[in-house]
C-alpha cells in the first residue's frame, strides 16, 4: 500500500496505452511539478459521474499507473504531458483533494497465463469489419469503428497479459466496457469481457443497418 497522486479522467487508461494530457486546472498544475520531480508516476481512474473540472465527481476504484514520458511547460500553470499506462492499481481509500487528488492504493496482481484462445474474438472482429463495409463510410460511428479496426493485429504470440490489454485498445469499446476490461481479474476473464462487448456491438450494428 502507498499514497499516490491521482488524476480522475472521463476516459479509461489501459496498461500499454499512451495518454496525452494538457494540464491547465490549478489543482493538477500544482500536482505535475511534484510528480515530475519524484518518480513521474500518478494514478488514473475513470470518472463514473461528474466532470473532470471542479471536483465533486464519482470515481472508479480500479485504475492504472501512468508514467510521464514527456513533460513540457507551455505557460504559467500549463503543461503538456505524454504518459504511458504501466500497471493496474486498486484504490483503497480516497484522501482529501488537498491541493490535488490523492489516494491510498495497492498494486493489482497479473496472474501468469499460457496460451489464450483468440479465434472467437478474431471472428467477431471480422464480422464488425464486414458490417462497417455494408454500412458505408458516411456514418460517423461506422467510420470510427472502421478506423479502430484498420490495423493488422497478432495476439497469439508473445505475452498474453499484454495482448489482452492491447486487444481492448485495438477494438471499438466504450468507457464502461474498457473499465470492465481493466477490472477483470486475469487475461482469460478480460477476453470474455471483450467478447461480450463485441456481441453487443455487433447486435446493435445489425439492428441499425436493417433500419
Amino acid at each position: 500500500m502507498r499514497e499516490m497522486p491521482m488524476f480522475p479522467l472521463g476516459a479509461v487508461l489501459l496498461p500499454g496505452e499512451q495518454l496525452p494530457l494538457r494540464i491547465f486546472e490549478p489543482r493538477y498544475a500544482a500536482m505535475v511539478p511534484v510528480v515530475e520531480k519524484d518518480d513521474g508516476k500518478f494514478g488514473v481512474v475513470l470518472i463514473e459521474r461528474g466532470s473532470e473540472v471542479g471536483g465533486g465527481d464519482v470515481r472508479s476504484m480500479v485504475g492504472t499507473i501512468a508514467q510521464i514520458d514527456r513533460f513540457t511547460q507551455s505557460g504559467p500553470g500549463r503543461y503538456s504531458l505524454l504518459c504511458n499506462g504501466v500497471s493496474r492499481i486498486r484504490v483503497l481509500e480516497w484522501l482529501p483533494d488537498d491541493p490535488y487528488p490523492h489516494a491510498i492504493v495497492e498494486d493489482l496482481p497479473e496472474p501468469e497465463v499460457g496460451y489464450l484462445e483468440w479465434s472467437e474474438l478474431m471472428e467477431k472482429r471480422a464480422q464488425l469489419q464486414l458490417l462497417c463495409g455494408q454500412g458505408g463510410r458516411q456514418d460517423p460511428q461506422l467510420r470510427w469503428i472502421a478506423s479502430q479496426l484498420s490495423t493488422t493485429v497478432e495476439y497469439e504470440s508473445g505475452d498474453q497479459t499484454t495482448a489482452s490489454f492491447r486487444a481492448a485498445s485495438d477494438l471499438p469499446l466504450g468507457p464502461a466496457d474498457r473499465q470492465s476490461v481493466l477490472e477483470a481479474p486475469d487475461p482469460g476473464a478480460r477476453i470474455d469481457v471483450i467478447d461480450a462487448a463485441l456481441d453487443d456491438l455487433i447486435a446493435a450494428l445489425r439492428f441499425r443497418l436493417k433500419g
Side-chain angles (χ1 to χ4, degrees):
M1 294 188 298
R2 63 194 184 280
E3 183 176 335
M4 176 168 280
M6 302 295 290
F7 200 122
L9 278 177
V12 177
L13 174 65
L14 298 175
E17 289 184 329
Q18 287 193 324
L19 174 67
L21 289 173
R22 300 183 71 178
I23 307 297
F24 58 87
E25 191 179 353
R27 57 180 176 163
Y28 297 122
M31 183 186 85
V32 167
V34 175
V35 171
E36 197 273 334
K37 289 178 181 178
D38 190 9
D39 61 359
K41 294 180 180 177
F42 57 94
V44 174
V45 294
L46 174 67
I47 296 174
E48 295 180 346
R49 293 193 302 278
S51 170
E52 291 182 3
V53 179
D57 46 18
V58 177
R59 304 161 182 171
S60 295
M61 300 299 281
V62 174
T64 302
I65 294 175
Q67 172 77 57
I68 297 176
D69 185 46
R70 290 208 304 266
F71 169 92
T72 305
Q73 185 166 5
S74 52
R78 292 180 175 270
Y79 302 92
S80 295
L81 308 180
L82 182 63
C83 308
N84 293 308
V86 178
S87 58
R88 300 187 304 152
I89 51 173
R90 185 191 309 279
V91 175
L92 300 177
E93 179 185 357
W94 282 102
L95 303 175
D97 290 10
D98 185 17
Y100 47 80
H102 288 78
I104 304 297
V105 304
E106 64 177 359
D107 294 317
L108 282 178
E110 285 293 343
E112 291 187 11
V113 295
Y115 176 78
L116 294 176
E117 178 54 60
W118 293 95
S119 59
E120 188 172 351
L121 186 147
M122 296 303 292
E123 181 181 339
K124 291 173 184 177
R125 193 178 193 278
Q127 290 180 43
L128 282 174
Q129 289 175 312
L130 180 61
L131 289 169
C132 287
Q134 292 172 353
R137 294 303 177 92
Q138 301 304 313
D139 187 306
Q141 183 187 20
L142 292 179
R143 286 203 306 271
W144 176 75
I145 293 172
S147 70
Q148 292 291 102
L149 302 172
S150 61
T151 56
T152 302
V153 295
E154 174 59 55
Y155 301 125
E156 287 85 351
S157 60
D159 177 70
Q160 296 292 274
T161 295
T162 300
S164 65
F165 283 121
R166 185 186 165 201
S169 298
D170 289 342
L171 292 164
L173 305 182
D177 288 324
R178 284 168 58 86
Q179 183 65 29
S180 295
V181 167
L182 189 63
E183 294 178 3
D186 56 66
R190 208 164 287 141
I191 299 307
D192 290 341
V193 169
I194 297 171
D195 279 340
L198 293 185
D199 284 339
D200 291 342
L201 180 56
I202 288 168
L205 287 182
R206 284 175 172 163
F207 180 80
R208 183 172 180 172
L209 291 172
K210 284 182 180 178

